[in-house]
Amino acid sequence: MARDLTALFDPASVAVVGASDDPAKYGHAVAAQALRAPGRRPVHLVNRRGGTVLGRPAAPSLSAIGEAVDLAVISVPAGGFEAAVDEALSCGARAIVAITAGFAETGAAGLARQQSIADRVREAGAVLVGPNCLGIADNTTELYLASDTFTPGGIALLSQSGNLALELQLRFAPHALGFSRFVSLGNQSDVTLVDLVEDCARHDGTSALAVYAEDFGDGRAFARAAATAGKPVVLLTAGRGRASARSAQSHTGALTTSADVVAAACRDAGVELVATPREMTVVLAALRSGGRGSGRRTAVFTDGGGHGVIAADAAESAGLDVPELGEKAQSRLRSVLWEQSAVGNPVDLAGMGEQDPRSYAEAVGSLLDADEVDAVLMTGYFGGYSASEGGLGGGGTALAEGEIRAARDIVLRRVERPKPLVVQSMYPQAPSCRILADAGVPVFSATEDAARALTALTVGEGPEPHGVHPLPAPAAPLEDPGYHGVRALLTAAGVPFPAAREITGEAELIAAAGEFDGPYVLKALHLLHKSDAGGVVLRLPDRAALLAAYREMHARLGAAAYSVEAMADLSDGVELIVGVNQDPRFGPVAMVGLGGVLTETLHDVAFSLAPVPAPRAERLLRGLRTAGLLAGVRGRPAVDMTAAAEVIALITEVAAAHPEIAELEINPLLVRPSGVLALDARAVLA
């Protein structure tokens, strides 16, 4: 159930506990900000010495105010923090913003104190942001309880870094972006990132959410909240490159990093994942324009060959396609451009813009109108003619006026043909470029920024929506984590395996061989990398060969048990790997990719939160670098992708229903033209 944060963002009254005249103290900055809107609600300043603060009377305590306080900001030394919280609750506070540090970030004792305080706050029916935070602000309700002023706008920033908010403030300005809300997350002892995402999703004044988080807490809950927000969510996070601290006991564990998990959660939830504040700004500027399109076929349009090829490279590096235009589109372009213009893609005016600025609008209109074009990236000199200085034509010339008219015409044509359009210009602040930006066309000075912005406005082809699939109800815990116990678990769920028997001696081996025909496979059990250790022998043609292989392997390895299996036909299949890890923040995370003995060497894998529905599983497979092998190459037949996806869905559903399994892996999963067989399985209990 979503929490009511009304008292946090629109309180009836505010008190700043620890308000000070000393500019070196945080209570001074917060008090000064709180007093910016005294007419909106009562603002009380509290300083234990009383007197005046910032020229206003200061009460020596919350109780001395003599009336209820709806929200209390507490910025006092850690030793007095608990008493201040208790007094705030006794004075009726429904929300507390805890600036004070010295709790969970200091170790176990601090965490215990923090938890005790948070418990008291919740028992009182109140909410607490922090501790160890830098305050909050809500421009839509004139609530200013942070040390800095934030330009009003539609973006809610939820951040574990105060300095990041200041940098974004500077980066937002050229794009006319601003903030609806700012919340410093602090230690998230009570109000969590998930609570805030859910509340901002309901907030009419917020059009997009920007999140900087180092600690997600419940990462899966964050992904669910972002997926259902109904508004763009852009995430910047740190430490994604560190591998999991848990010792990996499978290929899946060895190949999975924190970066993979976060990226998978973002992709499933439809969150835009960025790596820098600059990229966050670029994506938010793009998303403000709306008009997201389907498909990545991009037309690059330029007024200079160099800009065109650079932009084409940047677009492809960003994941967009820049295909050659078909004859119909090229013919349409030839009808509006002059003879020397290039019309293949990139489309190059080749100097025509200097002669006739209307050609910009004509070319953009033709490209937006082409069925084979999903998006347009315009790059180069546009804007230079109308720039007040530095432009070729200079300000006030007929050329500049023509460029401005072209900009207005581009805006009209985009309205008629609503496809993503992004502009890179050497003069992004020129009048013609401002016309585009004011009309919602993102304009950037850097080519790579324009390409990244366009990827934020395009979505891949396919009907599958974003979303986090719910976890199944927990199943009875797995009692036998051995090879055959795991096979039995998966077989019961519908995952097909070849016939197999576990044996511990020659008599059992001979009996097992009599239950199904050869050729046979012999495996030594309880080895991580059986092939590397010589613990797997394939294609044993008959019982005599099987017995000989067993004697040699047992003499060398001395394993406690072995598995005798029917040999699958590998001639026309492709080996995949399917694994699921239990991540401490995001729960079960699935990995699929090219399998077999070269899994870790090739590292061609993709990730998703588990369980993975079959349509998403198929898209993961088709997105692999080696997906061409699945489609059939050099005379080999295509394999049954639908069957593979359905089995992946079964495997990940089983893993998600067994939280006691830290790692579950099927490698290889043999996919053939007419079906699927799991050839090996492994589970590691938590």
Side-chain angles (χ1 to χ4, degrees), residues 391-480:
L392 179 66
T397 66
L399 195 56
E401 293 170 356
E403 185 183 74
I404 289 173
R405 286 194 297 271
R408 292 173 179 150
D409 199 12
I410 288 172
V411 170
L412 293 175
R413 291 171 184 265
R414 180 173 176 264
V415 171
E416 296 169 358
R417 308 165 181 86
K419 293 179 180 178
L421 168 65
V422 173
V423 174
Q424 179 273 328
S425 172
M426 298 160 61
Y427 303 94
Q429 299 303 320
S432 54
C433 288
R434 296 317 308 164
I435 289 171
L436 295 177
D438 291 344
V441 177
V443 179
F444 301 95
S445 60
T447 306
E448 61 271 27
D449 290 346
R452 177 63 181 93
L454 202 53
T455 64
L457 292 175
T458 59
V459 294
E461 299 176 1
E464 190 214 354
H466 292 296
V468 178
H469 207 62
L471 291 173
L478 176 65
E479 295 182 356
D480 178 7

Side-chain angles (χ1 to χ4, degrees), residues 553-573:
M553 186 182 295
H554 189 56
R556 181 165 40 84
L557 298 177
Y562 298 81
S563 182
V564 177
E565 305 180 8
M567 178 70 198
D569 181 1
L570 307 179
S571 61
D572 57 359

Side-chain angles (χ1 to χ4, degrees), residues 498-499 516-521 537-540 565-570:
F516 45 85
D517 295 330
Y520 301 101
V521 175
V537 181
L538 307 179
R539 301 181 183 87
L540 296 167
E565 305 180 8
M567 178 70 198
D569 181 1
L570 307 179

